[in-house]
Amino acid sequence: MPAGTDDPISPAAEPTASAAPHPTYSLVVVSNRLPVEIEVADDGTESWRTSPGGLVTALEPMMRSSDGAWVGWPGIADRTFEPFENDGISIVPVRLGASELEEYYEGFSNDTIWPLYHDVIAPPRFHREWWEAYVRVNRRFADAAASAAAPGATVWVHDYQLQLVPRMLRDARPDLVIGFFNHIPFPPYGIYAQLPWRKQILDGLLGADLIGFQRLADAGNFSRAVRRLYGYPTRGVAIDVPAPEGTHRRVIAKHFPISIDAAAYEELARRPEIQERARQIREDLGNPKTIMLGVDRLDYTKGIAHRIKAFGELLADGSLSVEDVTLVQVASPSRERVGPYIALRDEIELAVGRLNGDFSTISHTAISYHHHGYPREEMVALYLAADVMLVTALRDGMNLVAKEYVAVRFDRDGVLVLSEFAGAADELKQAVLINPHDIDGVKAAILRAVAMPRQERLRRMRALRRKVFDNDVAAWSSSFLRTLTEGAAVRPGIPDTLTGALKDLSRADNILVALDFDGTLAPHVDKPEDARAVPGTREAVQRLLDLEGVRVAFVSGRALVSLQHVSQPQTGVLLTGSHGIEVQLDTPDIKLELDTPELEQLADLARVLERISGSIDGTWIERKPAGLALHTRLATPRNAAAAQKTAREELGALLPGLTVRDGKDVIEFAVRSSTKGDALERLRRHTGADRVFYAGDDTTDEDAFAVLQPGDVGLKIGAGDSLAGYRVRGPEDVPLVLGLIADQRAAVAAEREAAAGA
């Protein structure tokens, strides 16, 4: 394939492994680096030790419990290592040569993709030989993952170095459930479009079932790029990607902000020896009134020069003095063979030297600068010693240093000054937020942080700590994997057993085809009003309506007016909303009557739920004619559980007669009792159906599955326990099922007509 063209990556670029060697694993994590590094003892013997890091901490427990393997480069060039086990995790090393590291890693990954994805703070370089190495190395990682994955396994690919791996895996192993997480930003289209291989990268990522991003804006940037370059339909977080044989595959592009093991950081901070080390650090710095701290990789995206400039101007104009305030700057080495990083180090060290020469005294240094890394224990001591944490990133996917500082401050003290261009700013809104390009604004924020009253510091830090501990790294990983496996664990296509059951169903004189809407005909979206049925649904429903002896109904928990808005039903479709409390059956009128006590209960219900939702981020209220629903889809798992628990307890005491239903990321309270099972029974009576087909996706649909009779067919959409006898992977499969019913019903009609003619 000619480099620089807009053709997708050819799956035939290199041969893939034809047979998967044993052993294989049900969960495979793929990242550029393995979670282990080699140690060489004094006698020359080598051993492996686990690398510190949040990703390792998050995934270790589930990898051990689910027979997992980790695929990656071991950190040493031009050496081959056989797979081995380390601390309960199977390790699958991938060999990389020195020239490949130079072209694939230092070149394309870190001198093309990194600056491009970070808003071109430094100019990216585009070299065809780098791209060719990137394709070649991604193929090697994909081959290793495909060989390690058991049939139907879940494979989770990480970060910008491996953006082609999902598509390569999809082509080689369509049975796999594939997730990808991008740990850095994804740029707006105007910037992304500069990449000569822009379509190939998108195609590589779209091989995944779920693509995770740090920020909502990053996920939106990705979806917009897909629309511009491929024209694929996008709706909410869902992207419809063409699949073989004219079908579509649904890809979810959604934000999952990464975090840290907050409890582990606090545990370290509470150790007496680390607290003593923090006191020693303050003493070694001359016991200034205020210690400000910056902790970064030495990278042009971190805004280190901006913070040094702001601090220098504050010293120069007398707003701060070195006797009162010291800045500690830890700048750990990064990509020291890449030209822009070499220049950056020279620039930072020159600025530090100049500022120290101008303002330091014999007993006080303006900036204590450290160009090396520290072990975690020393970093925790530094966080404890620092009164103000400066995070001035010009562009950052997340910035976990900000979260580490907050987790360590069990004393509830300290001030976080945080760039609004770091992903952490989306969550840590009680920090002092800054635009690092605005030097005067940075100076004002530093002065505000230094002079902030204790009560305000405590109030802000309490709120920050709640956010960090509620959204720790375990919640992040479990949320991603739950979203991935719930949507993709069922294999695509229509099972042969379902085809046979539908053939029998089609022979009944009168058939009712009843369908849930959200999650069945339409994918779940963050905003309920944005839900729309997947392509092909309307045509399939119309085919059924045109057949004699077939009725179609939509059965929803939505209010009927809302259901009409999102489903836009054809004439002849029967409607039931609010779990059967509202009906529209062959009349233009919606039937619902509430008495005075029920209306009073409805007002009390609204008051309680509005108060709960107003106090918990990511929750919202949906009003229904006979009740309300508390949605928690956008909340963290911990916040969602807390909101539902509080609502259940308070309303249970205040209004004990309410009907309570648990759904997928929603809990509903109704003043009048009815279920989808009741709705389906009413529809059966109204239509006189001999057989019923019902399709649904969540726990509220189980009431409908429970009332199905022998000869009826229940279809579960997605994974999870169910009373339904059959299941398909997602809403994109439902039009195919409806089309199959129409085909078989038409064939039955043709047979009967032929028999009558004979």
Side-chain angles (χ1 to χ4, degrees):
M1 178 192 66
T5 69
D6 276 344
D7 295 330
I9 296 297
S10 168
E14 276 188 31
T16 57
S18 58
H22 293 287
T24 57
Y25 306 89
S26 60
L27 173 64
V28 178
V29 171
V30 189
S31 63
N32 178 64
R33 283 296 300 270
L34 285 169
V36 294
E37 52 193 36
I38 202 162
E39 286 187 325
V40 182
D42 292 338
D43 62 1
T45 58
E46 296 179 340
S47 61
W48 297 95
R49 72 175 181 89
T50 301
S51 306
L55 186 61
V56 181
T57 303
L59 299 183
E60 268 183 334
M62 65 183 68
M63 293 193 74
R64 291 195 188 98
S65 64
S66 62
D67 185 30
W70 201 307
V71 175
W73 176 54
I76 302 175
D78 294 314
R79 282 190 62 182
T80 300
F81 296 92
E82 292 300 316
F84 62 94
E85 186 171 305
N86 179 77
D87 198 19
I89 298 177
S90 297
I91 301 295
V92 181
V94 175
R95 177 189 172 98
L96 293 180
S99 62
E100 289 174 327
L101 286 171
E102 182 178 347
E103 294 179 335
Y104 142 79
Y105 181 71
E106 294 177 357
F108 193 82
S109 296
N110 291 319
D111 213 356
T112 301
I113 293 295
W114 178 272
L116 184 78
Y117 282 26
H118 286 86
D119 291 350
V120 197
I121 294 170
R125 296 196 293 164
F126 307 110
H127 293 299
R128 286 171 291 182
E129 61 271 21
W130 289 0
W131 165 251
E132 291 161 359
Y134 188 80
V135 174
R136 188 168 61 251
V137 171
N138 271 245
R139 176 72 61 189
R140 194 172 307 150
F141 275 85
D143 288 349
S147 297
T154 297
V155 181
W156 190 359
V157 185
H158 286 269
D159 224 0
Y160 63 103
Q161 302 96 344
L162 302 175
Q163 293 175 100
L164 305 180
V165 169
R167 169 60 65 191
M168 293 170 172
L169 275 175
R170 175 71 55 199
D171 292 338
R173 293 284 305 277
D175 61 301
L176 298 177
V177 177
I178 304 168
F180 181 91
F181 188 80
N182 194 54
H183 291 258
I184 66 173
F186 194 91
Y189 180 76
I191 292 176
Y192 181 75
Q194 298 176 39
L195 183 65
W197 307 279
R198 56 196 182 181
K199 290 192 74 173
Q200 294 96 314
I201 293 290
L202 292 185
D203 182 66
L205 293 171
L206 289 171
D209 296 290
L210 174 64
I211 309 169
F213 298 91
Q214 299 281 25
R215 308 182 81 167
L216 180 62
D218 296 328
N221 288 342
F222 175 79
S223 294
R224 280 187 286 275
V226 170
R227 286 198 302 271
R228 291 286 296 271
L229 292 172
Y230 278 105
Y232 297 159
T234 63
R235 187 179 298 117
V237 298
I239 302 170
D240 290 328
V241 179
E245 300 176 3
T247 61
H248 284 80
R249 188 172 57 83
R250 176 133 299 173
V251 176
I252 301 299
K254 189 175 179 181
H255 70 298
F256 297 86
I258 198 171
S259 194
I260 62 170
D261 186 353
Y265 273 94
E266 179 173 325
E267 180 188 356
L268 281 173
R270 289 182 178 274
R271 291 185 187 176
E273 67 273 19
I274 290 181
Q275 294 178 36
E276 178 58 35
R277 175 58 186 150
R279 286 189 286 271
Q280 183 65 46
I281 289 171
R282 292 194 71 95
E283 186 175 322
D284 291 345
L285 291 170
N287 282 317
K289 291 181 181 178
T290 303
I291 294 176
M292 300 193 302
L293 175 64
V295 175
D296 313 88
R297 284 188 307 102
L298 189 60
D299 191 288
Y300 48 76
T301 65
K302 302 300 183 181
I304 301 172
H306 295 64
R307 104 182 39 140
I308 291 174
K309 180 176 177 61
F311 182 50
E313 290 187 9
L314 289 170
L315 293 176
D317 64 24
S319 300
L320 297 177
S321 70
V322 291
E323 285 78 14
D324 293 333
V325 181
T326 295
L327 171 61
V328 178
Q329 177 61 57
V330 177
S332 57
S334 174
R335 301 165 189 158
E336 297 201 293
R337 295 170 53 186
V338 179
Y341 290 82
I342 297 171
L344 177 66
R345 178 179 179 179
D346 292 342
E347 175 192 345
I348 296 300
E349 292 181 352
L350 179 63
V352 170
R354 185 175 296 156
L355 197 147
N356 278 337
D358 289 342
F359 298 105
S360 294
T361 66
I362 295 297
S363 56
H364 292 89
T365 301
I367 300 182
S368 178
Y369 178 76
H370 308 270
H371 180 58
H372 51 81
Y374 287 107
R376 181 176 293 186
E377 291 77 6
E378 183 74 358
M379 290 309 309
V380 170
L382 277 168
Y383 292 145
L384 282 174
D387 304 288
V388 178
M389 184 81 215
L390 298 178
V391 177
T392 58
L394 307 180
R395 189 77 166 92
D396 215 337
M398 178 51 61
N399 194 287
L400 295 180
V401 164
K403 295 187 175 185
E404 291 170 4
Y405 179 71
V406 169
V408 161
R409 299 310 300 234
F410 68 90
D411 59 356
R412 310 296 194 270
D413 209 344
V415 182
L416 173 63
V417 177
L418 177 61
S419 167
E420 63 190 56
F421 302 121
D426 287 358
E427 300 173 275
L428 305 183
K429 297 186 183 300
Q430 288 300 314
V432 178
L433 297 178
I434 59 166
N435 174 358
H437 299 284
D438 175 11
I439 299 299
D440 286 336
V442 176
K443 290 163 61 178
I446 290 174
L447 291 176
R448 181 183 178 190
V450 169
M452 187 176 290
R454 175 176 169 78
Q455 282 305 112
E456 184 179 353
R457 299 199 307 267
L458 295 176
R459 176 181 60 79
R460 286 173 176 269
M461 187 56 72
R462 275 197 300 269
L464 292 171
R465 284 175 59 79
R466 274 198 305 272
K467 181 64 71 172
V468 169
F469 278 82
D470 285 348
N471 300 273
D472 63 7
V473 72
W476 166 79
S477 60
S478 62
S479 175
F480 185 94
L481 286 172
R482 185 176 65 251
T483 304
L484 173 62
T485 55
E486 282 183 355
V490 182
R491 295 189 179 186
I494 302 174
D496 291 341
T497 53
L498 174 59
T499 301
L502 295 179
K503 188 173 184 179
D504 291 340
L505 177 97
S506 299
R507 295 189 173 279
D509 289 336
N510 294 295
I511 301 169
L512 170 63
V513 177
L515 308 161
D516 170 50
F517 188 78
D518 294 286
T520 299
L521 298 181
H524 286 288
V525 293
D526 290 341
K527 295 180 180 180
E529 64 271 19
D530 291 340
R532 294 293 184 274
V534 298
T537 301
R538 191 172 186 83
E539 294 79 4
V541 167
Q542 189 61 53
R543 288 188 62 199
L544 292 170
L545 291 172
D546 292 340
L547 292 168
E548 185 177 350
V550 179
R551 299 302 307 270
V552 179
F554 295 165
V555 181
S556 177
R558 286 178 180 261
L560 227 165
V561 171
S562 173
L563 176 61
Q564 290 171 324
H565 170 70
V566 296
S567 68
Q568 302 173 354
Q570 297 104 309
T571 301
V573 174
L574 308 172
L575 301 176
T576 76
S578 303
H579 301 282
I581 292 174
E582 299 179 283
V583 296
Q584 192 176 35
L585 308 179
D586 292 320
T587 71
D589 300 322
I590 298 174
K591 294 183 179 180
L592 169 73
E593 295 177 359
L594 295 179
D595 55 31
T596 300
E598 287 173 331
L599 291 172
E600 291 173 349
Q601 286 184 322
L602 200 57
D604 291 338
L605 172 61
R607 176 174 50 80
V608 173
L609 288 187
E610 285 170 356
R611 176 173 49 77
I612 293 171
S613 178
S615 65
I616 299 179
D617 290 343
T619 65
W620 76 93
I621 301 300
E622 179 188 0
R623 293 182 174 274
K624 301 190 174 187
L628 284 90
L630 175 65
H631 289 268
T632 59
R633 181 176 303 280
L634 300 182
T636 66
R638 190 171 300 180
N639 280 354
Q644 294 197 14
K645 181 174 183 290
T646 302
R648 194 186 298 274
E649 291 176 351
E650 291 193 18
L651 290 170
L654 179 65
L655 301 169
L658 290 178
T659 297
V660 184
R661 299 186 193 89
D662 293 301
K664 186 180 292 184
D665 300 315
V666 63
I667 183 170
E668 299 188 23
F669 300 89
V671 299
R672 180 174 292 182
S673 176
S674 181
T675 69
K676 289 183 179 177
D678 298 327
L680 191 59
E681 293 279 60
R682 184 170 183 175
L683 286 166
R684 189 195 294 268
R685 292 192 300 270
H686 177 79
T687 60
D690 302 301
R691 297 282 183 89
V692 172
F693 170 87
Y694 185 83
D697 76 302
D698 75 6
T699 53
T700 64
D701 295 300
E702 295 302 311
D703 293 321
F705 293 137
V707 302
L708 294 178
Q709 300 174 6
D712 294 341
V713 175
L715 181 66
K716 166 77 171 180
I717 313 303
D721 295 335
S722 179
L723 296 172
Y726 307 91
R727 72 176 71 229
V728 293
R729 186 166 181 171
E732 64 275 8
D733 290 321
V734 176
L736 303 178
V737 174
L738 301 182
L740 185 57
I741 296 174
D743 289 342
Q744 294 178 342
R745 181 68 174 181
V748 168
E751 286 177 14
R752 290 174 178 173
E753 187 175 331

